Amino acid sequence: MKRLIMIGASGHGKVCADIAEQMGVWDEIVFADDHPPAAYPYRIIGKTDDVADGDADFFVAIGDAQIREKITGRLKKSVTLIHPRAVIGGDVAIGNGCVVMAGAVINSGTTIGDGVIINTCSSVDHDCKLDDYVHVAVGAHLCGMVRIGKSTWIGAGSTVKNNISICGGCMIGAGAVVVQNIAEAGTYMGVPAKKRK
Ligand SMILES: CC(C)(COP(=O)(O)OP(=O)(O)OC[C@H]1O[C@@H](n2cnc3c(N)ncnc32)[C@H](O)[C@@H]1OP(=O)(O)O)[C@@H](O)C(=O)NCCC(=O)NCCS
């Protein structure tokens, strides 16, 4: 029997589990969580540390990039989940422990690291490079040849102009439009996006 253990019984976890179900690869999908909610649509089998790295596949469904990295790093078989209705170019490279959600589009020549979240209806155009643990939130758009550094969060509904580089450790606010390179970690918001004082 093929079992998938998801870490993180949250709203994000529920969406990821639904994608895993639609992929039809696993016979059983269960969760582990250190602070389990009172009610949850999937069975919770214990806390994160109780979960042995045995025969099961794993997926870390945690939005916080640092926690996602910490837990993903100690699991051997972190699978990538891809919604059947995501559109992905044939030469796109995607690492381990990523999720690509419904309606997302990733175009040709793009490379995506480990533990990356490409959220619902977001797009990553041609020849982009996303480092590990990036999150492209719901409805955000990266134009062509954009580079995003490790653990940066691209906020919901934001846009990054073509050819832009954003360094690691940034938070780009919801609805922001990034038109210049960002070389210093921090929170950026607005149109055009500026660093928050
Ligand atoms: C940018 C962000 C991180 C700032 O969060 P925060 O540090 O808690 O900021 P606050 O809510 O305290 O707001 C601080 C100020 O910034 C403004 N602000 C907050 N978010 C903003 C945004 N996205 N664009 C423009 N201004 C914003 C607030 O209005 C407030 O202004 P004021 O000081 O004049 O009253 C957050 O608002 C955001 O946009 N997060 C992204 C959420 C997201 O993408 N979710 C996706 C889930 S899939």
Side-chain angles (χ1 to χ4, degrees):
M1 189 173 82
K2 223 167 150 43
R3 186 187 222 201
L4 175 63
I5 302 177
M6 317 262 305
I7 314 283
S10 61
H12 175 64
K14 223 163 39 174
V15 177
C16 293
D18 181 62
I19 294 169
E21 274 180 3
Q22 297 206 35
M23 289 170 73
V25 172
W26 295 278
D27 303 304
E28 187 187 29
I29 298 171
V30 295
F31 274 80
D33 196 299
D34 291 347
H35 307 284
Y40 201 65
Y42 294 88
R43 189 156 74 90
I44 298 172
I45 58 167
K47 298 196 171 187
T48 309
D49 284 344
D50 303 336
V51 171
D53 203 355
D55 288 336
D57 289 334
F58 287 91
F59 182 81
V60 182
I62 292 177
D64 183 285
Q66 275 71 40
I67 301 173
R68 194 159 75 250
E69 176 175 9
K70 197 171 146 210
I71 299 175
T72 305
R74 67 169 196 252
L75 299 171
K76 281 189 218 116
K77 293 186 205 159
S78 207
V79 296
T80 281
L81 304 177
I82 297 181
H83 194 284
R85 281 176 294 287
V87 176
I88 301 177
D91 62 349
V92 168
I94 303 180
N96 298 316
C98 297
V99 59
V100 182
M101 295 194 170
V105 178
I106 308 175
N107 275 340
S108 177
T110 284
T111 305
I112 290 177
D114 294 334
V116 170
I117 302 170
I118 307 293
N119 219 312
T120 309
C121 290
S122 62
S123 67
V124 180
D125 218 295
H126 66 92
D127 302 303
C128 289
K129 186 173 182 310
L130 277 54
D131 286 351
D132 298 345
Y133 305 105
V134 163
H135 180 179
V136 182
V138 173
H141 299 293
L142 309 184
C143 299
M145 295 173 288
V146 162
R147 292 162 302 280
I148 310 288
K150 190 177 170 193
S151 302
T152 280
W153 177 302
I154 307 293
S158 61
T159 300
V160 182
K161 201 184 91 168
N162 50 298
N163 260 312
I164 292 292
S165 284
I166 301 178
C167 68
C170 290
M171 163 64 81
I172 307 298
V177 178
V178 182
V179 297
Q180 286 181 325
N181 292 338
I182 294 178
E184 193 184 351
T187 299
Y188 294 78
M189 54 176 86
V191 181
K194 299 262 190 251
K195 192 168 187 192
R196 189 173 153 201
K197 300 270 185 304

